[in-house]
Amino acid sequence: MVKLYENLIVQTVSRLLIPAMQIFGLYVIAHGHGSPGGGFQGGCILGASYILMLAAYDIAELKRHMSETLNTILCCTGVLIYAGIGLLCVILGGNFLDYSVLYKILPVDPVKARYMGMLGVEIGVGIAVMSVMISIFLNIASAGEHEGAAR
Amino acid sequence: MDTIDFIIGKYNYWVYIILMMIGFYAMIAKNNFGKKLVGMNIFQTAIILYFISTASKKGGATIPITLSEHMGAGVSTVNAVQYLNPLPHVLMLTAIVVMVSTFGVALAILIMLYKKYKTLEEDEILGIIKAGKES
Amino acid sequence: MKFIAIFAVLITGFLLAYATIDMPDWGDPNSPPSTHVSPRYIEKVIIETATPNMVTAVLADYRGYDTLGETVVIFTAGIVCILLLRRSPDG
């Protein structure tokens, strides 16, 4: 339950800012090809939105939106997407992480297939960085005890 | 004007070396472990800035994103002198991630030190260890 | 103790500044980092990968293997923090 009249201004402003930060983080990941950005940068912005939620509210509120099991599964999924695309290129007949052989399953020509391979890889990196940022901050700020800590 | 040209050509390295030495002094001379960690962070940031400063090119080079007038269909009229060197930027992205990782693990070890010895000063921890060894 | 630290810092700083005499000037287009393989990346990035952003193209395509190692490094740091600090709630 959110306690009212405790940091009311910070909580209201963070309610407005957190969705805007998440949309901006997804924009930075998706437009990494035409403007400055990419996987690491967008992942940090997405992680920062959850850290703002942790700073304005308490740990129980964060656990409602991003549980610990989901966080750990997302962290492993990011690395798995990256290595999975590399292995997919080996299965289709090219070298490891050689995205130009992806034209066999995607309806594009080999030059554009490298573009699509890079996009998939950046999405994997962004997911991994977001969940690791949340996990490191949560464990260090609460010193390991997620239930008994006050803030 | 030879000395002035020499100073203008090299002063970016000297500024970052001064920043590196500030971080290095904090790592070896301070007594608190938290302050040593802050010194390590300053040192790593100075090294990253040092490498980024070698990527610039004189004569109006722009950022390493291809302008739309250079992107033909299959033919590129890009000249390498017009764009900055992208390689140090790429390597420093990796270095920033390594910096964040080592800082996170160092803070975790700091919390475990505090739980065991109840203090974060270096000489007090050494005194507790020596007293535990003699008894 | 602090005098030894200041002395060591000054000696190290002077040695590093002495090594910058041989380094290339600031902003030189013919310096060794800006030749050999970097012009090849800048000129061929649109033809080979159709990506305007050269930094993302080098990071994810030409040097993609290093970025895989990078992602494993940050994954390991997250796992180490969980292993060192997290303890189950005492029941």
Side-chain angles (χ1 to χ4, degrees), chain A residues 32-33 35-37 40 68 75-76 79 82 96-97 99 111 114-115 118 122 125 128 132 135-136 139-140 143-144 146-147, chain C residues 47-53 56-57 59-62 64-65 67-68 70-72 74-75 77-78 81-82 85-87 89:
Chain A
H33 291 253
S35 66
F40 292 108
E68 203 175 349
C75 175
C76 306
V79 184
Y82 199 130
F96 185 61
L97 290 174
Y99 308 128
V111 171
R114 285 175 86 156
Y115 185 106
M118 270 200 272
E122 294 285 342
V125 169
V132 167
S135 165
I136 288 183
N139 281 327
I140 288 182
H146 290 180
E147 281 78 16
Chain C
I47 302 174
E48 291 180 350
T49 57
T51 308
N53 192 358
T56 302
L59 181 73
D61 193 352
Y62 289 114
Y65 199 53
T67 309
L68 177 65
E70 181 60 44
T71 312
V72 172
I74 195 161
F75 168 73
C81 274
I82 292 178
L85 290 175
R86 186 83 177 99
R87 50 190 64 231

Side-chain angles (χ1 to χ4, degrees), chain A residues 2-23:
Chain A
V2 172
K3 290 189 275 237
L4 285 181
Y5 296 106
E6 176 178 325
N7 300 330
L8 183 63
I9 295 179
V10 175
Q11 284 176 355
T12 311
V13 171
S14 73
R15 261 190 193 172
L16 294 171
L17 270 182
I18 287 174
M21 282 167 76
Q22 293 190 338
I23 290 183

Side-chain angles (χ1 to χ4, degrees), chain A:
Chain A
M1 184 179 90
V2 172
K3 290 189 275 237
L4 285 181
Y5 296 106
E6 176 178 325
N7 300 330
L8 183 63
I9 295 179
V10 175
Q11 284 176 355
T12 311
V13 171
S14 73
R15 261 190 193 172
L16 294 171
L17 270 182
I18 287 174
M21 282 167 76
Q22 293 190 338
I23 290 183
F24 185 63
L26 289 173
Y27 162 82
V28 165
I29 295 182
H31 286 249
H33 291 253
S35 66
F40 292 108
Q41 292 89 322
C44 281
I45 294 177
L46 281 174
S49 79
Y50 281 102
I51 290 177
L52 178 60
M53 190 190 297
L54 181 60
Y57 298 88
D58 52 355
I59 295 181
E61 188 74 19
L62 180 70
K63 286 289 178 80
R64 273 179 39 206
H65 290 266
M66 169 77 81
S67 67
E68 203 175 349
T69 312
L70 180 64
N71 199 6
T72 319
I73 290 179
L74 274 181
C75 175
C76 306
T77 305
V79 184
L80 211 61
I81 288 178
Y82 199 130
I85 287 183
L87 278 179
L88 185 64
C89 298
V90 172
I91 291 174
L92 288 175
N95 297 319
F96 185 61
L97 290 174
D98 186 12
Y99 308 128
S100 59
V101 299
L102 285 177
Y103 75 94
K104 296 178 184 168
I105 58 172
L106 293 173
V108 292
D109 52 319
V111 171
K112 203 72 177 176
R114 285 175 86 156
Y115 185 106
M116 293 299 165
M118 270 200 272
L119 187 62
V121 156
E122 294 285 342
I123 289 175
V125 169
I127 292 176
V129 170
M130 171 187 89
S131 52
V132 167
M133 290 285 162
I134 298 171
S135 165
I136 288 183
F137 191 84
L138 187 57
N139 281 327
I140 288 182
S142 69
E145 298 138 16
H146 290 180
E147 281 78 16
R151 264 309 170 95

Side-chain angles (χ1 to χ4, degrees), chain C:
Chain C
M1 183 60 201
K2 303 267 178 148
F3 291 121
I4 301 178
I6 291 183
F7 186 62
V9 161
L10 284 175
I11 292 288
T12 313
F14 174 68
L15 281 175
L16 282 173
Y18 179 64
T20 65
I21 295 179
D22 284 333
M23 287 197 182
D25 282 345
W26 189 21
D28 188 17
N30 295 326
S31 60
S34 301
T35 53
H36 303 297
V37 77
S38 170
R40 188 231 184 251
Y41 285 158
I42 294 178
E43 284 159 11
K44 296 275 175 64
V45 79
I46 289 290
I47 302 174
E48 291 180 350
T49 57
T51 308
N53 192 358
M54 296 174 199
V55 173
T56 302
V58 175
L59 181 73
D61 193 352
Y62 289 114
R63 306 271 164 116
Y65 199 53
D66 302 336
T67 309
L68 177 65
E70 181 60 44
T71 312
V72 172
V73 162
I74 195 161
F75 168 73
T76 307
I79 296 293
V80 162
C81 274
I82 292 178
L83 281 176
L84 279 180
L85 290 175
R86 186 83 177 99
R87 50 190 64 231
S88 54
D90 294 329

Side-chain angles (χ1 to χ4, degrees), chain B residues 9-10 13 50 58 66 85 94 97, chain C residues 23 25-27 33 38 52 70:
Chain B
K10 306 270 193 281
Y13 300 130
Y50 175 93
K58 277 206 187 113
T66 321
N85 189 8
T94 304
V97 170
Chain C
M23 287 197 182
D25 282 345
W26 189 21
S38 170
E70 181 60 44

